């Protein structure tokens, strides 16, 4: 699919920002990416896309990898994935030998074995310290359980190996921001599942382990759970049974585009109605947390869009930024504190190329979001184009407001008319903001487009210039263009823009 070069349609859309107060708040390090366990032999639909991207074999000496992480300062990294629930830790109590993953088609995810040697754990933590990453680790939640006749897993979690591993991690001064129990075991599960009451009891055990080991630590780690697909009844039962102040963060996974092999992925990504469907998940989880777990916050703990490793030249190409950035904007509106992209590297949905470590387009989308979109989320509405997706935040570490604007139309350029309203006074503040006497008078725009108008390109253009690594392997500068504020914002067909408005001062962003 290519963007149409000779478009002649235009439309004027109206944007209205409610400026009296924020509607939600995200973490400053909202952007998160995952590292998985998959060996090189992991294949989907005849394609083996993981290479040496597992946390067990990733090249930790690569300056490109280090530079990509350091650019976020910090980047949250979640360690985990499907195979985590068969990994043992080569320390303390172990029920089996420390064997590597071996291909076995009769096993749940096609592999048997799995072990984390402490020498590799030391190397990973040295790398995370150097790159200033904020790390979450997913623990094996299936040790000690037995198969039930209905396909679920029964019995309590055997926490001994996990406890020894956490103690080892603490004793060696490795800083882990959060511990999570299990991967995709909630609801009907993926591969297998655990009922909510038993899982809640296991999480209480993990809470006790963390409380004991970190009792004298100044910084306590978060406890994340359940790390799976949202199931309203299961999540309610889990929160009711785990109880007050046990779970810090409720994590859920999103693969709303379906299977990576789906030939209609691009059509789904460019369909505004389809993109909006998943909003009900964010809304429902927000309501459940308010009613059953107000002490907890929400993260998207893993999201690759299309499951089974994505789709080459779709989930690692320019077109995927329409879906990814829309997800970030939508999740933020519902108080999601962090959003973990599957993956940082590996599969066909990595922010980085699996073999070269060169950034894919979504890497730059994530970095621009991280640098521009502040923690206070604003209410914004639009009229005039079904294809316009618009989100607004207070600008990060600066005055003003930043917009994320997405034009999904293949042929129509959208011109924007912006107004700022205050529900407390009923006043339209637009004129005042443009006449603000302090600070910068110009608007800062970051327009993202595909190379050669090809949505399957893996080269992203920023304001007409290709985003390529510098000659010494550093992330390029992401420079805006300055625009007179009296000139209308203009969005080309099939393009994305971040627009910072430093001259806008509203109560939501000055408190």
């Amino acid at each position: 699919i290519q963007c149409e070069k000779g478009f002649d349609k235009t439309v004027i859309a109206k944007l209205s920002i409610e400026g009296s107060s924020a509607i939600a708040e995200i973490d400053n390090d909202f952007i998160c990416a995952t590292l998985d366990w998959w060996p090189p032999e992991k294949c989907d639909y005849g394609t083996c896309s993981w290479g040496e991207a597992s946390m067990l074999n990733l090249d930790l000496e690569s300056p490109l990898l280090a530079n990509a992480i350091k650019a976020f300062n910090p980047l949250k990294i979640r360690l985990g994935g499907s195979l985590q629930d068969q990994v043992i830790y080569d320390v303390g109590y172990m029920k089996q030998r420390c064997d590597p993953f071996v291909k076995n088609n009769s096993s749940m995810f096609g592999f048997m074995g799995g072990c984390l040697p402490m020498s590799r754990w030391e190397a990973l933590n040295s790398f995370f310290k150097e790159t200033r990453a904020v790390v979450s680790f997913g623990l094996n939640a299936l040790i000690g359980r037995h198969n039930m006749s209905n396909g679920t897993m029964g019995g309590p979690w055997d926490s001994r190996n996990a406890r020894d591993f956490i103690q080892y991690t603490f004793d060696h001064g490795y800083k882990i921001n959060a511990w999570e129990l299990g991967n995709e075991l909630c609801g009907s599960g993926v591969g297998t599942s655990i009922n909510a009451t038993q899982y809640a009891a296991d999480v209480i055990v993990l809470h006790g382990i963390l409380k004991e080991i970190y009792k004298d630590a100044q910084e306590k780690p978060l406890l994340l759970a359940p790390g799976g697909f949202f199931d309203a009844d299961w999540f309610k039962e889990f929160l009711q049974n785990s109880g007050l102040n046990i779970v810090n963060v409720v994590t859920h996974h999103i693969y709303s585009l379906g299977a990576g092999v789906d030939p209609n992925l691009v059509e789904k990504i460019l369909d505004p109605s389809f993109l909006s469907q998943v909003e009900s998940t964010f809304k429902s989880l927000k309501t459940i947390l308010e009613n059953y777990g107000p002490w907890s916050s929400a993260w998207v703990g893993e999201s690759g869009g299309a499951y089974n490793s994505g789709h080459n030249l779709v989930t690692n190409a320019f077109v995927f930024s329409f879906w990814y950035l829309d997800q970030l904007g939508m999740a933020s509106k519902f108080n999601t504190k962090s959003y973990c992209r599957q993956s940082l590297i590996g599969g066909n949905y990595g922010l980085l190329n699996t073999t070269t470590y060169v950034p894919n387009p979504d890497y730059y989308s994530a970095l621009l979001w991280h640098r521009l979109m502040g923690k206070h989320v604003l209410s914004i509405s639009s009229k005039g184009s079904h294809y316009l997706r618009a989100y607004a935040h207070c600008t990060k570490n600066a005055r003003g407001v930043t917009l994320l604007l997405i034009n999904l139309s293949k042929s129509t350029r959208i011109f924007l008319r912006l107004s700022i309203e205050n529900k407390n006074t009923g006043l339209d503040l637009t004129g005042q903001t443009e006449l603000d006497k302090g600070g910068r008078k110009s608007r800062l725009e970051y327009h993202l487009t595909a190379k050669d108008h090809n949505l399957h390109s893996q080269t992203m253009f920023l304001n007409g210039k290709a985003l390529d690594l510098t000659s010494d392997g550093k992330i390029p500068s992401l420079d805006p263009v300055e625009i007179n504020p009296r000139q209308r914002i203009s969005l080309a067909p099939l393009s994305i823009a971040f627009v910072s408005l430093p001259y806008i001062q509203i109560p939501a962003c000055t408190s």
Side-chain angles (χ1 to χ4, degrees), residues 230-279:
F230 178 68
D231 178 304
D233 292 337
W234 194 100
F235 275 54
K236 285 180 195 174
E237 185 179 345
F238 162 61
L239 286 167
Q240 288 174 312
N241 282 280
S242 55
L244 182 68
N245 295 326
I246 296 295
V247 179
N248 303 113
V249 178
V250 173
T251 48
H252 66 115
H253 295 180
I254 291 178
Y255 284 87
S256 55
L257 295 170
V261 75
D262 187 345
N264 300 312
L265 288 178
V266 172
E267 286 71 20
K268 290 179 177 179
I269 290 167
L270 298 180
D271 180 350
S273 298
F274 185 88
L275 292 181
S276 295
Q277 289 177 10
V278 73
E279 188 169 293

Side-chain angles (χ1 to χ4, degrees), residues 125-359:
N125 279 279
S126 176
F127 176 75
F128 295 142
K129 183 177 181 180
E130 178 208 346
T131 56
R132 302 181 291 277
V134 177
V135 177
S136 302
F137 188 93
L139 295 163
N140 180 343
L142 292 184
I143 294 181
R145 303 189 199 274
H146 56 268
N147 291 308
M148 306 281 282
S149 58
N150 61 0
T152 67
M153 297 293 280
W157 175 49
D158 184 340
S159 62
R160 289 174 289 181
N161 187 226
R163 192 209 178 285
D164 290 343
F165 174 58
I166 296 169
Q167 184 71 61
Y168 180 95
T169 298
F170 176 78
D171 291 345
H172 284 74
Y174 302 152
K175 187 173 179 181
I176 301 299
N177 178 61
W179 295 94
E180 185 173 36
L181 184 61
N183 183 78
E184 298 179 347
L185 299 171
C186 54
S188 57
V190 177
T192 190
S193 62
I194 302 170
N195 75 68
T197 301
Q198 179 60 61
Y199 182 80
D202 301 326
V203 165
I204 291 170
V205 170
L206 176 57
H207 178 267
I209 291 170
L210 297 178
K211 187 175 181 180
E212 176 195 346
I213 291 175
Y214 288 89
K215 63 180 180 294
D216 296 323
Q218 286 189 327
E219 294 184 44
K220 316 286 187 187
L222 301 172
L223 196 163
L224 279 50
F229 292 100
F230 178 68
D231 178 304
D233 292 337
W234 194 100
F235 275 54
K236 285 180 195 174
E237 185 179 345
F238 162 61
L239 286 167
Q240 288 174 312
N241 282 280
S242 55
L244 182 68
N245 295 326
I246 296 295
V247 179
N248 303 113
V249 178
V250 173
T251 48
H252 66 115
H253 295 180
I254 291 178
Y255 284 87
S256 55
L257 295 170
V261 75
D262 187 345
N264 300 312
L265 288 178
V266 172
E267 286 71 20
K268 290 179 177 179
I269 290 167
L270 298 180
D271 180 350
S273 298
F274 185 88
L275 292 181
S276 295
Q277 289 177 10
V278 73
E279 188 169 293
S280 61
T281 296
F282 292 113
K283 189 179 297 184
S284 297
L285 178 56
K286 181 174 183 285
T287 300
I288 284 175
L289 291 185
E290 289 169 350
N291 293 332
Y292 298 95
W295 53 85
S296 302
S297 58
W299 288 13
V300 172
E302 179 184 316
S303 180
Y307 59 80
N308 291 340
S309 305
H311 190 116
N312 190 36
L313 299 182
V314 176
T315 54
N316 54 10
F318 178 83
V319 69
F320 208 51
S321 277
F322 293 115
W323 177 84
Y324 179 43
L325 286 173
D326 189 69
Q327 276 283 296
L328 299 184
M330 186 187 299
S332 297
K333 287 196 314 179
F334 293 96
N335 240 21
T336 304
K337 302 303 183 185
S338 195
Y339 193 109
C340 298
R341 167 63 179 266
Q342 173 84 345
S343 62
L344 173 62
I345 186 167
N348 286 316
Y349 37 34
L351 295 180
L352 305 176
N353 182 282
T354 301
T355 54
T356 67
Y357 297 13
V358 170

Side-chain angles (χ1 to χ4, degrees), residues 89-107:
Y89 318 110
D90 192 16
V91 62
Y93 178 81
M94 295 167 58
K95 292 184 73 172
Q96 61 203 63
R97 295 184 309 174
C98 185
D99 292 328
F101 289 113
V102 177
K103 186 73 176 168
N104 184 318
N105 292 330
S106 63
S107 297

Side-chain angles (χ1 to χ4, degrees), residues 387-431:
Y387 293 102
L388 174 65
R389 315 283 287 183
Y391 301 96
H393 288 224
C394 301
T395 302
K396 192 170 191 176
N397 300 328
R399 55 189 285 151
V401 171
T402 294
L403 309 176
L404 166 60
L405 305 168
I406 300 170
N407 183 0
L408 297 173
S409 172
K410 299 174 184 176
S411 59
T412 302
R413 178 177 287 271
I414 302 175
F415 291 94
L416 297 170
R417 181 179 295 157
L418 177 65
S419 66
I420 314 292
E421 298 175 357
N422 188 328
K423 67 182 179 184
N424 295 329
T425 64
L427 295 176
D428 184 331
L429 305 177
T430 310

